[in-house]
Amino acid sequence: MQKSSIRFGVVGCGRIGRRHARIIANHPETTLVALCEPSPDPEEFKELESIPMYSSFHELLENHQDLDVICIASP
């Protein structure tokens, strides 16, 4: 049986959230599925632009109910 990837969402995409997102995206056993940030700076997310970005936590959950982990990187 093949092990499936752990599916992550990241809420809060400031400096720490972006760091978590990049680590998750580059780990071989995880998949970065979605990001949530009310006012993202497009320049900060060039390498993650293929990942869906939502402006609200509720919108992220409505669209990705199959997440295994949600990383909260918000004050």
Side-chain angles (χ1 to χ4, degrees), residues 32-57:
L32 181 59
V33 175
L35 301 166
C36 177
E37 174 62 39
S39 54
D41 178 357
E43 290 298 314
E44 298 289 337
F45 290 94
K46 285 191 183 243
E47 68 190 60
L48 299 171
E49 65 187 0
S50 64
I51 308 300
M53 173 76 73
Y54 299 96
S55 60
S56 79
F57 182 66

Side-chain angles (χ1 to χ4, degrees), residues 2-66:
Q2 185 176 1
K3 185 177 177 181
S4 63
S5 180
I6 300 169
R7 298 172 52 84
F8 276 82
V10 175
V11 176
C13 296
R15 190 177 76 204
I16 297 300
R18 288 192 311 271
R19 180 175 168 83
H20 283 245
R22 288 182 182 109
I23 291 168
I24 293 163
N26 291 315
H27 194 284
E29 296 178 7
T30 62
T31 302
L32 181 59
V33 175
L35 301 166
C36 177
E37 174 62 39
S39 54
D41 178 357
E43 290 298 314
E44 298 289 337
F45 290 94
K46 285 191 183 243
E47 68 190 60
L48 299 171
E49 65 187 0
S50 64
I51 308 300
M53 173 76 73
Y54 299 96
S55 60
S56 79
F57 182 66
H58 296 289
E59 187 180 11
L60 181 144
L61 290 178
E62 286 173 8
N63 288 285
H64 300 281
Q65 297 175 8
D66 59 345

